[in-house]
């Protein structure tokens, strides 16, 4: 879904840049309310994890692959505003360091992959948890459906943007059918990854999952024949079993392993957008990436001949840079919240 330079014309690229900048500004303010001293480090880890999993293209059908977009996962784990920032940090790192997603198309990519997926997924998620039984299984199930729907929604938004600012004369009906069709299939993979990840975090630290806040059942005690709410424990039971530090280290190690080792076995087939672009002629105006000469371009380290080592090193560097950049952003937002409260 990473849109390269040349797919969308300059006016539409500029317009989406304005939309993206506005959304990031709003998200920076909204993230102040979502982040606290417990979740700010988690948000940086979520960004690094999304970067790592996006390197794992999985086969879909007819020579096409897909990968995680991450908006649903980020929104449910750390909140919708913070989720937009997480995916935006990933897209910025990918565009600058790895020549993945055009720099002039950064506004398009943020609008499509960060804003659309996060907003759609979180709206669906919140709607479902209101009508489903209040349980961990319900949160996981709602995560699956929200992620599933967010991917074709992003494909639809890309088609609309292309209808307004596409640089080639192609059949928009065919583009829409192909984009939405293949991304429904990719959405199944997105949904599975999101649900498994959310379920895993809920199992050890449900108190750190933003989408699970306020959903836990209060324990009832019978006092003088009447049911009353039991006092809340000062520290969640799960928190005593798995510390935040252990969760963060475990998540970072998992991200490094995925990006540094497992990514070598990812599908080499073109992803959904690349396949549709080639089939429908959208890619005729593609321009060379401004960061094509980056030493990490195309997820490899320049001058490292061994393909496995080159890709693994690039993945590890990407995870490291993303977790540092993301954590720095979210700690700054958190400190700004504290400063605002004091003022």
């Amino acid at each position: 879904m990473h849109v390269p330079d040349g797919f969308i014309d300059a006016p539409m690229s500029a317009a989406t840049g304005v939309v993206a900048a506005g959304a990031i500004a709003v998200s920076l303010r909204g993230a102040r309310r979502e982040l606290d001293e417990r979740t700010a480090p988690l948000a940086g880890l979520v960004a690094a994890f999304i970067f790592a999993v996006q390197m794992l293209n999985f086969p879909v059908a007819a020579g096409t692959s897909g990968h995680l977009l991450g908006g649903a996962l980020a929104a449910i784990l750390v909140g919708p505003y913070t989720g937009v920032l997480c995916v935006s940090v990933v897209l910025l790192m990918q565009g600058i360091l790895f020549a993945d997603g055009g720099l002039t198309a950064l506004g398009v990519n943020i609008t499509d992959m960060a804003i659309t997926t996060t907003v759609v997924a979180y709206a669906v998620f919140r709607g479902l948890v209101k009508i489903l039984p209040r349980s961990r299984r319900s949160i996981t199930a709602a995560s699956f459906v929200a992620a599933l729907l967010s991917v074709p929604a992003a494909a639809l938004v890309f088609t609309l943007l292309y209808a307004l600012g596409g640089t080639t004369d192609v059949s928009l009906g065919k583009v829409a059918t192909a984009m939405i069709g293949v991304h429904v299939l990719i959405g199944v993979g997105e949904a599975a990854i999101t649900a498994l990840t959310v379920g895993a975090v809920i199992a050890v630290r449900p108190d750190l999952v933003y989408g699970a806040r306020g959903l836990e059942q209060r324990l009832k005690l019978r006092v003088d024949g009447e049911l009353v709410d039991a006092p809340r424990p000062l520290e969640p039971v799960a928190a005593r079993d798995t510390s935040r530090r252990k969760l963060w280290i475990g998540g970072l190690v998992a991200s490094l392993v995925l990006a540094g080792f497992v990514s070598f076995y990812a599908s080499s087939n073109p992803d959904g957008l690349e396949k549709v672009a080639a089939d429908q002629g959208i890619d005729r105006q593609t321009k060379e990436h401004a960061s094509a000469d980056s030493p990490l371009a195309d997820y490899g380290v320049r001058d490292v001949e061994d393909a496995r080592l080159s890709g693994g090193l690039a993945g590890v560097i990407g995870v490291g840079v993303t977790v540092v950049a993301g954590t720095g952003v979210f700690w700054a937002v958190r400190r700004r919240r504290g400063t605002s409260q004091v003022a």
Side-chain angles (χ1 to χ4, degrees):
M1 189 67 78
H2 292 78
V3 179
D5 295 318
F7 274 27
I8 306 295
D9 64 21
M12 183 53 59
S13 296
T16 54
V18 172
V19 171
I24 289 173
V26 171
S27 296
L28 285 170
R29 295 180 63 87
R32 295 181 198 171
R33 300 189 298 271
E34 295 173 347
L35 294 171
D36 55 32
E37 67 280 356
R38 300 178 306 158
T39 56
L42 179 63
L45 177 61
V46 168
F49 183 77
I50 289 173
F51 174 91
V53 180
Q54 283 196 2
M55 293 183 66
L56 308 181
N57 280 48
F58 49 85
V60 179
T64 307
S65 69
H67 62 70
L68 182 80
L69 298 185
L73 177 62
I76 295 166
L77 287 180
V78 293
Y81 294 108
T82 308
V84 169
L85 298 178
C86 281
V87 182
S88 297
V89 168
V90 173
L91 293 171
L92 185 61
M93 295 299 101
Q94 290 171 333
I96 293 176
L97 297 179
F98 298 92
D100 189 10
L103 295 183
T104 62
L106 185 60
V108 174
N109 286 318
I110 290 177
T111 300
D112 198 26
M113 296 178 63
I115 302 171
T116 300
T117 58
T118 301
V119 171
V120 170
Y122 198 70
V124 173
F125 175 81
R126 293 304 305 173
L128 288 174
V129 296
K130 288 181 179 179
I131 61 176
L132 292 173
R134 299 161 70 89
S135 68
R136 295 179 184 179
R137 289 185 179 181
S138 297
I139 296 171
T140 304
S143 301
F144 184 94
V145 177
L148 175 64
L149 296 178
S150 70
V151 178
L156 177 60
V157 168
F158 168 78
T159 304
L160 293 175
L161 293 176
Y162 198 83
L164 296 172
T167 55
T168 57
D169 184 15
V170 297
S171 171
L172 293 174
K174 291 182 179 179
V175 171
T177 300
M179 281 291 292
I180 296 173
V182 71
H183 284 90
V184 167
L185 299 177
I186 294 173
V188 175
E190 175 103 11
I193 295 169
T194 300
L196 288 172
T197 306
V198 171
V201 179
I202 288 177
V204 295
R205 287 300 300 263
D207 58 305
L208 294 182
V209 178
Y210 183 88
R213 293 180 180 180
L215 296 178
E216 68 275 8
Q217 292 277 11
R218 289 293 298 274
L219 178 65
K220 297 288 186 179
L221 298 177
R222 188 173 294 278
V223 179
D224 297 331
E226 295 184 1
L227 289 176
V228 297
D229 289 334
R232 292 187 183 274
L234 295 178
E235 183 80 3
V237 175
R240 294 196 293 267
D241 297 330
T242 304
S243 68
R244 294 195 303 272
R245 179 176 295 180
K246 288 181 179 179
L247 178 65
W248 194 91
I249 293 174
L252 180 60
V253 170
S255 299
L256 291 171
V257 170
L258 291 173
F261 177 73
V262 181
S263 62
F264 180 77
Y265 302 97
S267 173
S268 60
N269 291 333
D271 67 23
L273 177 59
E274 290 174 333
K275 178 66 172 175
V276 172
D279 290 346
Q280 303 299 326
I282 294 176
D283 59 357
R284 291 196 294 267
Q285 298 296 324
T286 303
K287 297 179 181 178
E288 184 179 18
H289 199 285
S291 297
D293 293 331
S294 166
L296 298 173
D298 297 323
Y299 297 94
V301 177
R302 183 187 299 167
D303 298 330
V304 176
E305 300 298 332
D306 184 272
R308 178 176 298 191
L309 179 60
S310 179
L313 286 174
V316 168
I317 292 170
V319 168
V321 171
T322 303
V323 76
V324 169
T327 301
V329 168
F330 298 124
W331 268 118
V333 172
R334 167 62 187 159
R335 290 185 63 185
R336 182 66 181 272
R337 172 187 175 181
T339 304
S340 299
Q341 289 176 340
V342 171

